[in-house]
Amino acid sequence: MGFTLLSVLMFLSTWFVCVSGTAPFTAYTNDFIDPDYILVGNFGDQTQAAQASIMAWANELSLTGPWSVIQKPVTPPSGDKHDYMSWAPYWWPDCSSVGNTTVLPDEESIWTTCPYVQHDGVFNPDRLLVNDIGRFSNMSEAVLYNTIAWTFRTSDRETYEANAVKYLRTWFIDTETRMNTNLAYGQMHRGPTGQKGTATGVLDLHSMTKVASSVLILRQGQSTAWTAELDDALKSWCREYAQWLQTAAIAVSEGNAENNHGTFYAAQLAAVKIILGDLNGAKNATDNYFKKQFLEQIDGKGEQPLEASRTHPYHYRSYNLAAVITTARIASYLDRSSHPFNLTTNGGATIKTAVDYSMTISPATSSEEEYTSEIYPNVAAVAAIYGDSDGSYLNFVKDGYPDFIEEPFILWDQPWAQDEKSM
Ligand SMILES: *[C@@H]1O[C@H](CO)[C@@H](O)[C@H](O)[C@H]1NC(C)=O
Ligand SMILES: *[C@@H]1O[C@H](CO)[C@@H](O)[C@H](O)[C@H]1NC(C)=O
Ligand SMILES: *[C@@H]1O[C@H](CO)[C@@H](O)[C@H](O)[C@H]1NC(C)=O
Ligand SMILES: *[C@@H]1O[C@H](CO)[C@@H](O)[C@H](O)[C@H]1NC(C)=O
């Protein structure tokens, strides 16, 4: 009977949705997740796979933690491994002027004696020797997913909670392992004149937005493992670091950048201010961005000229938009009556205009297929925030990425579950 076949097919498709797997781990570009939304926990059945991925990612990341700046094998110019350090990826040594004839100097003297020159877009593989950037990234991801998994009603709750707290302590608080409160050696160029950090290094800690979401969830969810003592210690860390972000010459210069660097700076500074409890200062940081850089970042048709002119335009459009959306979400969280997603640029565009435009451009036009998936969290966010009555956002994501329902972002960016409050 045809009717039976149809029932079997329907059963099978339901079954596949229910037992679908988990998504492979990826670090989303930027996020600020409303702690109230997570703590209410009214997620709906459509998020089962996303929840399974969140727990799987928390478990997978935990295999390589905890993370600390003292784990790097190279000592920064200050002589103190507690200083964060990274090497600018496109800079290469040219030892021809300093006696590279038959015998090469040893590796460490290359870093200090050979002049370094930029080869834009060509990665120097030795940058990975100093991997504070990868450690910070994994720490922020692990803290976020362990914290969200803690709010799920599972028997492993306490393990997730303990993991999140351990990773925060190790990076920010414990005397033996904590990071000093500056990025004075971020994105160093190296060589005789490059033994100091550069402005772009400030971008390395952009995932402080994920740390802020996590800390708010731990606080408001009344975690017993996240004690008042630890919270105070993290506040002190953030107070000192915010001071550095607002006064160090390289940080101030990064904050004035017109492109994605300026956007990420605003989101990061606001996140740090939220953790330390300075909500007016956080609001000031997001206001500064929306009154300045934002106005010139998106033109009338939704293009982002400062990103489109880069070597990887498809990637940089999504990259900046992730930071713009995060900054707007922080602004909404700080002031529920504000409407950052309604703001228009000097060209008359909103954030939605820019995401809509980015959806019309194929990554193939600039041979950037490897960056295709970076657009999906932005599309889901816009669908959740502005609505998706004709289903066009959902169809776009479905068409490009049939397994999208397994992605963690579905937990906080579901058009069918988000309430109006972040509008
Ligand atoms: C040293 O010289 C050799 C031979 O010219 C060259 O291949 C190599 O890249 C140089 N090394 C550095 C670090 O400049
Ligand atoms: C970061 O996590 C990924 C995914 O689990 C892992 O492959 C990588 O080795 C980790 N890197 C560091 C520096 O912890
Ligand atoms: C607000 O931002 C401006 C510009 O960065 C800064 O000069 C000022 O000190 C900030 N005020 C507060 C209260 O954070
Ligand atoms: C714009 O602001 C109005 C309130 O003035 C609000 O009702 C609406 O939902 C907002 N729309 C967006 C897209 O933010």
Side-chain angles (χ1 to χ4, degrees), residues 90-94 114-120 189-190:
Y90 302 145
W91 289 71
W92 293 76
D94 173 5
C114 299
Y116 273 65
V117 290
Q118 190 178 18
H119 298 297
D120 200 15
H189 292 168
R190 293 189 274 174

Side-chain angles (χ1 to χ4, degrees), residues 13-335:
S13 68
T14 313
W15 184 79
F16 276 120
V17 169
C18 292
V19 300
S20 57
T22 56
F25 172 70
T26 23
Y28 301 145
T29 304
N30 212 14
D31 266 312
F32 179 81
I33 304 165
D34 186 339
D36 299 328
Y37 173 72
I38 296 296
L39 286 164
V40 169
N42 188 15
F43 302 130
D45 289 343
Q46 306 92 324
T47 66
Q48 291 298 331
Q51 293 185 44
S53 293
I54 286 169
M55 291 185 281
W57 291 13
N59 296 339
E60 179 186 334
L61 285 157
S62 296
L63 298 174
T64 53
W67 300 267
S68 158
V69 284
I70 68 157
Q71 290 162 345
K72 59 182 166 292
V74 181
T75 304
S78 59
D80 184 357
K81 278 199 183 178
H82 293 268
D83 283 327
Y84 177 94
M85 179 181 185
S86 63
W87 286 336
Y90 302 145
W91 289 71
W92 293 76
D94 173 5
C95 303
S96 53
S97 63
V98 289
N100 173 12
T101 49
T102 47
V103 184
L104 277 172
D106 66 81
E107 205 174 36
E108 298 213 15
S109 54
I110 291 180
W111 302 338
T112 51
T113 56
C114 299
Y116 273 65
V117 290
Q118 190 178 18
H119 298 297
D120 200 15
V122 190
F123 284 102
N124 186 336
D126 85 351
R127 76 193 186 282
L128 295 174
L129 200 57
V130 179
N131 199 13
D132 282 353
I133 190 169
R135 291 189 188 90
F136 180 79
S137 172
N138 276 12
M139 183 279 295
S140 62
E141 302 296 325
V143 167
L144 179 65
Y145 294 115
N146 277 282
T147 300
I148 298 177
W150 165 65
T151 71
F152 299 157
R153 290 161 189 81
T154 71
S155 55
D156 299 328
R157 291 193 71 194
E158 287 179 4
T159 305
Y160 291 124
E161 180 187 24
N163 282 344
V165 171
K166 178 169 64 187
Y167 303 149
L168 288 167
R169 288 185 72 132
T170 307
W171 190 275
F172 296 105
I173 299 170
D174 290 343
T175 313
E176 307 76 51
T177 52
R178 74 196 293 264
M179 174 188 157
N180 289 340
T181 49
N182 68 75
L183 295 173
Y185 303 102
Q187 300 283 314
M188 290 169 54
H189 292 168
R190 293 189 274 174
T193 59
Q195 296 298 312
K196 56 187 189 305
T198 57
T200 56
V202 177
L203 183 73
D204 285 13
L205 257 57
H206 66 267
S207 293
M208 283 302 295
T209 54
K210 298 175 186 176
V211 174
S213 304
S214 311
V215 171
L216 291 174
I217 294 168
L218 290 169
R219 276 182 194 158
Q220 292 173 212
Q222 295 176 351
S223 160
T224 48
W226 185 247
T227 61
E229 198 184 2
L230 292 172
D231 199 50
D232 284 345
L234 184 63
K235 280 181 181 156
S236 301
W237 192 95
C238 286
R239 197 169 296 117
E240 284 180 25
Y241 179 58
Q243 179 73 15
W244 185 86
L245 278 177
Q246 291 183 286
T247 55
I250 52 174
V252 171
S253 143
E254 180 79 349
N256 289 327
E258 291 176 350
N259 67 0
N260 68 78
H261 283 271
T263 323
F264 280 107
Y265 175 92
Q268 184 188 159
L269 178 59
V272 170
K273 294 262 178 182
I274 286 173
I275 298 175
L276 72 86
D278 177 11
L279 300 186
N280 290 331
K283 184 75 171 46
N284 192 36
T286 58
D287 282 352
N288 286 340
Y289 165 76
F290 282 109
K291 287 180 188 154
K292 202 177 131 203
Q293 286 103 326
F294 176 72
L295 298 177
E296 295 295 335
Q297 282 185 347
I298 308 168
D299 73 14
K301 70 174 179 186
E303 176 60 294
Q304 302 168 76
L306 298 169
E307 309 305 328
S309 62
R310 303 287 298 258
T311 42
H312 301 296
Y314 182 90
H315 159 69
Y316 278 110
R317 277 186 202 98
S318 292
Y319 191 68
N320 187 48
L321 280 173
V324 181
I325 290 167
T326 298
T327 308
R329 282 193 154 149
I330 293 175
S332 305
Y333 169 77
L334 291 166
D335 178 0

Side-chain angles (χ1 to χ4, degrees), residues 337-343 350 352 385-386 420 422-423:
S337 69
S338 71
H339 300 283
F341 290 97
N342 266 344
L343 294 175
T350 64
K352 180 179 187 298
I385 292 157
Y386 297 86
E420 305 282 318
S422 59
M423 299 289 287

